[in-house]
Amino acid sequence: METRVEKVNLESPNATAIRLAAGLLRDGEVVAFPTETVYGLGANGLDDAAVRLVYELKGRPADNPVILHVADAASAKRLVSEWPQCAEALAEKYWPGPLTFVLRKSSIVPEVVTAGGPTVAVRVPAHPVALALLREFDGPIAAPSANRSSKTSPTLADHVLRDFDGRIPLILDAGPTDVGIESTVVDLTGPVPEVLRPGRITPSQIRHALDGDVRVHRGDAERLSSPGMLPRHYAPTARLILLEQDAPLPQEAPPGKTAYLTLAQRRDVRADVCVFMPNSPTEYAKRLYATLRDMDDQSVGVILVDMPPDTEEWSAVRDRLRRAAH
Ligand code: AMP
Ligand code: MG
């Protein structure tokens, strides 16, 4: 199969490419498209066989559910059996946007989407191309990140091409994604909302929008209701060594080609490649995955990373770095 890469303009998404993509989805095919977080590997979310194909292409374990993307909150409501007040409030404030809700599923959602579970993850993405595609397709699109399972998520169409060239018919290319890391996932099925996966939207922002309590799921509990919680999930080939700000620095450079991802104040770390990372959490997140892929391309064996501070605004970046280092 030949993989077509169609450039789409952000301001006025090329109608022909969008129609082509929607037609392929209707035919049960898998197409890659940009969202504001990372590129997604999309299939008709109500077509059991098409969603299975996404799992197969990614090499994704069947017990790891996928997110359904929809054009608006009204479409999300059809996929769930309960729409609590907190969902209404968060949708109003953050949709379209990088916030995924976990809710009780309705009967139209295939088991394969939820990995057999009673809950479904839904989101309205804030990317003009994703929204144009959702409107044209006129149904939910199941879309995990467009990478092979356990690899770094794609923030460029070229990243998608590397994993899926010849295996999917179409990639919509809208340039680099804005957020750069996966969406925040919040479980709204219990009495207190719980953030399962950190992302650009922070627990404080959610708390503020709800004017109520929000829990944050802490790391390595045995409960694996959110696949983003699988310990190794965003990993480059190179080994990462995380340098906490108050921890002693390594005295000797590790063997092989090394890289050093540094923040504002460069510390006394010796490495073959030095990369200055942005000092803002949103800019850092935007650059993170492409930087890790660059290091792999440069055959770096070990990446030494200055860990950003242990504050809420950095928690999503710290989470992805820890997973990459696992
Ligand atoms: P990916 O799109 O590859 O980043 O992975 C899909 C994400 O969807 C996971 O990281 C989960 O956080 C989330 N997810 C999907 N379905 C569910 C669900 N039923 N319960 C909890 N999390 C879910
Ligand atoms: Mg993923």
Side-chain angles (χ1 to χ4, degrees):
M1 170 189 301
E2 200 205 325
T3 302
R4 274 174 74 169
V5 180
E6 287 287 332
K7 290 230 188 302
V8 275
N9 187 314
L10 281 181
E11 287 72 46
S12 54
N14 166 354
T16 320
I18 299 289
R19 275 202 298 273
L20 175 64
L24 287 164
L25 291 174
R26 269 180 222 113
D27 290 342
E29 303 260 13
V30 170
V31 301
F33 65 98
T35 79
E36 82 278 31
T37 58
V38 300
Y39 277 76
L41 198 60
N44 179 351
L46 301 181
D47 178 344
D48 191 275
V51 180
R52 262 174 227 291
L53 186 53
V54 169
Y55 277 81
E56 200 180 299
L57 284 163
K58 277 184 64 92
R60 186 181 183 97
D63 61 357
N64 191 350
V66 295
I67 297 173
L68 289 182
H69 295 72
V70 287
D72 47 41
S75 311
K77 288 177 195 173
R78 287 194 273 277
L79 304 171
V80 304
S81 58
E82 276 169 29
W83 181 259
Q85 176 51 36
C86 54
E88 186 65 30
L90 289 174
E92 191 135 313
K93 176 102 186 176
Y94 287 113
W95 278 3
L99 182 63
T100 299
F101 304 169
V102 171
L103 292 163
R104 291 195 192 288
K105 81 179 204 71
S106 74
S107 57
I108 65 167
V109 178
E111 299 250 304
V112 59
V113 167
T114 67
T119 61
V120 64
V122 288
R123 174 168 100 86
V124 179
H127 193 290
V129 173
L131 285 171
L133 178 60
L134 283 162
R135 289 196 195 103
E136 178 70 27
F137 176 61
D138 196 22
I141 300 179
S145 53
N147 52 279
R148 293 275 302 163
S149 188
S150 91
K151 292 295 179 198
T152 309
S153 293
T155 56
L156 288 172
D158 187 56
H159 298 159
V160 182
L161 193 62
R162 288 214 196 176
D163 274 4
F164 297 108
D165 193 11
R167 307 189 64 207
I168 58 175
L170 178 66
I171 301 171
L172 297 178
D173 178 0
T177 61
D178 177 47
V179 177
I181 54 171
E182 304 80 0
S183 59
T184 305
V185 178
V186 62
D187 182 347
L188 302 178
T189 60
V192 178
E194 183 176 15
V195 174
L196 301 178
R197 175 172 75 181
R200 176 177 291 185
I201 297 179
T202 62
S204 296
Q205 288 175 299
I206 297 172
R207 231 172 255 130
H208 192 253
L210 297 178
D211 195 16
D213 200 17
V214 172
R215 282 208 303 263
V216 178
H217 186 91
R218 284 270 161 233
D220 39 4
E222 41 306 353
R223 209 177 124 227
L224 268 182
S225 63
S226 181
M229 292 154 71
L230 296 172
R232 186 181 170 90
H233 196 80
Y234 309 101
T237 307
R239 187 162 68 90
L240 266 74
I241 297 178
L242 307 180
L243 310 173
E244 289 290 354
Q245 294 190 327
D246 49 6
L249 297 176
Q251 290 305 297
E252 279 165 61
K257 189 168 179 181
T258 55
Y260 173 38
L261 305 197
T262 174
L263 285 161
Q265 91 257 51
R266 204 197 146 165
R267 298 190 291 169
D268 189 21
V269 171
R270 273 201 285 151
D272 302 298
V273 184
C274 182
V275 183
F276 286 88
M277 295 301 283
N279 238 337
S280 113
T282 51
E283 291 305 308
Y284 194 116
K286 200 180 287 198
R287 287 260 301 278
L288 176 60
Y289 289 150
T291 303
L292 294 178
R293 282 177 185 257
D294 265 5
M295 297 302 102
D296 280 347
D297 290 348
Q298 293 183 47
S299 308
V300 165
V302 175
I303 308 175
L304 300 148
V305 185
D306 268 343
M307 274 303 254
D310 190 5
T311 57
E312 185 188 82
E313 53 167 0
W314 282 102
S315 69
V317 166
R318 287 176 57 91
D319 170 78
R320 301 312 190 276
L321 285 170
R322 275 197 304 266
R323 289 175 204 284
H326 193 84

